[in-house]
Amino acid sequence: PSGVETVGLAGDRLVIVADGDVWVAPLEGLDDFDASTEPLLRFGEGSVSALSPSGRLAIFSPTLGEVSAFDAAAEDGPTTVTPVEPFEGSEVLITLVGDTVALLDTENGVLDIAGQRSTLDEPTADARLQAPSDEGSSLAVAVRSGLLEIPLDGGAARSVADAQGAPVAPAVVGDCLYAAWDDGSLVERCGSGD
């Protein structure tokens, strides 16, 4: 399909999200997959999605005004649907940290973590949320000036690294956090980082 934004594995299934439409196809028989078939789910224009390494899929639909989430490895539709207040901006990013969904309105710096909103002090036009992870107690947000970390339970954002440049999405692997910017800045932090 065109407009593909998320492709990944969820157990023994392939998950494809394109233009707010979701297809879930078993790996066995993948040769028979036809993208012109009716999608399993439709979330509407402007939807954004995130797929965790374990196969949890979360989709924010501005059209529906909600975040839908489910285990795409075992389920065929949302098991959790949460209403979301509208964002003023049209560019919204999404990620997952465990079961916690985080959204960022990059035009206005408004961060929504499980329904709790705050405004980041740093410019967020080029910001990148961390890649989806299966666990964690905080969210990493890379901005042009460095790396921010925000506790999932509601603390203030704190700067954990400085940089100058366009960031890529930070990644958490095990207990290590990795981040990079196009100016050559790199961050690798393992353990608590304190």
Side-chain angles (χ1 to χ4, degrees), residues 14-193:
L14 178 68
V15 177
I16 302 168
V17 182
D19 294 329
D21 294 338
V22 179
W23 290 266
V24 178
L27 293 178
E28 188 174 302
L30 191 58
D31 291 342
D32 298 329
F33 174 72
D34 181 358
S36 67
T37 62
E38 191 71 18
L40 175 66
L41 301 165
R42 291 185 181 272
F43 290 94
E45 187 176 327
S47 295
V48 291
S49 60
L51 181 67
S52 74
S54 65
R56 184 155 184 80
L57 179 65
I59 300 172
F60 167 61
S61 170
T63 303
L64 300 174
E66 61 192 27
V67 169
S68 301
F70 64 102
D71 178 1
E75 300 159 343
D76 289 332
T79 54
T80 306
V81 177
T82 307
V84 175
E85 292 294 320
F87 289 98
E88 289 183 21
S90 61
E91 181 71 28
V92 176
L93 304 177
I94 187 171
T95 196
L96 282 160
V97 179
D99 290 337
T100 302
V101 175
L103 302 164
L104 176 64
D105 171 351
T106 61
E107 294 172 34
N108 299 292
V110 175
L111 180 66
D112 182 306
I113 298 177
Q116 300 298 312
R117 291 206 173 173
S118 61
T119 302
L120 299 176
D121 292 333
E122 301 287 331
T124 55
D126 295 326
R128 297 291 174 255
L129 296 177
Q130 79 175 54
S133 62
D134 288 331
E135 57 187 53
S137 60
S138 62
L139 169 70
V141 179
V143 294
R144 288 193 77 81
S145 60
L147 185 64
L148 305 174
E149 194 169 50
I150 302 96
L152 296 181
D153 62 7
R158 69 182 182 108
S159 176
V160 294
D162 294 326
Q164 291 296 317
V168 297
V172 174
V173 179
D175 71 344
C176 294
L177 169 64
Y178 302 93
W181 292 259
D182 71 354
D183 71 343
S185 297
L186 298 172
V187 171
E188 176 183 5
R189 191 186 75 198
C190 296
S192 69

